[in-house]
Amino acid sequence: MPRVCLASLALALALAGCAGPRAVPPPLAAAFDEPYVLATGDRLRINVFGQPNLSNSYTVEADGRIAMPLVGRYEVVNKTPDQVRTGLEAKLKTGFLRDPNVSVEIEGYRPFYILGEVNNAGQYPYVVGMTAQNAVAIASGFSPRAVKDRVELTRRHGDRVYKAEVPLTYPVRPGDTITVNERWF
């Protein structure tokens, strides 16, 4: 009897390794409707009403700032476009414009990365509403040795990096790294 229990326990542990993805840590969890937070590599279209010399496209540089006339170097990393808009309006209001009206749009998202058992691993442009399955399709599909029901997703959230196994229906964000693992048999 003890051998049967021990064998059953060993079998249960072995099968647990084949189970689907575990719970995703809350900082990694993302919904499509979450406010987007800017990071380096994003491209913004900033319009200042009545000021064509200030209206332009700006890229978030490596230091997390944009360089804008009258404003100078302005920190935008880890802010939403709406927070950037209100900050720029406040900055322009102090001595430059009487009542600035600013709009901030995301012109281009930073890329995502896909590695591992796909046909064309690499860096790709992000598409709004993308899932892990869409990312695999963009990378020309799974290789013959790929695990085809889940992927490993790595996401930076503030100063921390989170990694978890997620289903193929999981939302991908700009800057994410997706790794498709190799199956053993």
Side-chain angles (χ1 to χ4, degrees):
M1 188 66 155
R3 282 188 173 165
V4 171
C5 289
L6 192 57
S8 297
L9 181 61
L11 181 62
L13 288 174
L15 290 176
C18 297
R22 293 176 286 284
V24 179
L28 184 64
F32 287 121
D33 59 351
E34 282 183 0
Y36 182 70
V37 177
L38 299 169
T40 59
D42 287 329
R43 235 179 20 262
L44 304 176
R45 176 74 187 157
I46 298 177
N47 291 307
V48 182
F49 181 72
Q51 300 295 322
N53 294 337
L54 296 177
S55 299
N56 205 347
S57 293
Y58 300 91
T59 300
V60 182
E61 297 174 13
D63 65 353
R65 300 170 189 257
I66 59 171
M68 188 173 174
L70 298 181
V71 175
R73 311 267 310 142
Y74 184 73
E75 179 93 22
V76 298
V77 74
N78 293 327
K79 293 180 182 177
T80 65
D82 197 44
Q83 291 170 328
V84 172
R85 179 189 58 78
T86 56
L88 288 173
E89 284 178 348
K91 193 97 164 157
L92 289 168
K93 198 177 282 188
T94 58
F96 299 111
L97 300 174
R98 186 170 304 172
D99 190 24
N101 187 357
V102 178
S103 71
V104 177
E105 303 166 8
I106 299 170
E107 192 172 69
Y109 294 94
R110 60 192 179 274
F112 73 94
Y113 306 88
I114 187 160
L115 310 169
E117 295 298 321
V118 290
N119 290 319
N120 290 314
Q123 169 185 315
Y124 293 95
Y126 176 77
V127 178
V128 177
M130 177 181 282
T131 64
Q133 188 171 27
N134 300 134
V136 170
I138 289 171
S140 300
F142 292 111
S143 74
R145 295 181 308 270
V147 173
K148 296 180 180 174
D149 64 341
R150 61 188 178 276
V151 296
E152 183 176 272
L153 187 100
T154 305
R155 177 173 295 158
R156 178 172 294 280
H157 187 75
D159 294 340
R160 302 204 48 196
V161 175
Y162 295 92
K163 186 184 285 192
E165 277 189 350
V166 297
L168 292 175
T169 56
Y170 198 77
V172 173
R173 301 288 288 222
D176 283 354
T177 299
I178 300 161
T179 305
V180 177
N181 292 316
E182 180 180 6
R183 62 184 163 87
W184 293 95
F185 49 90

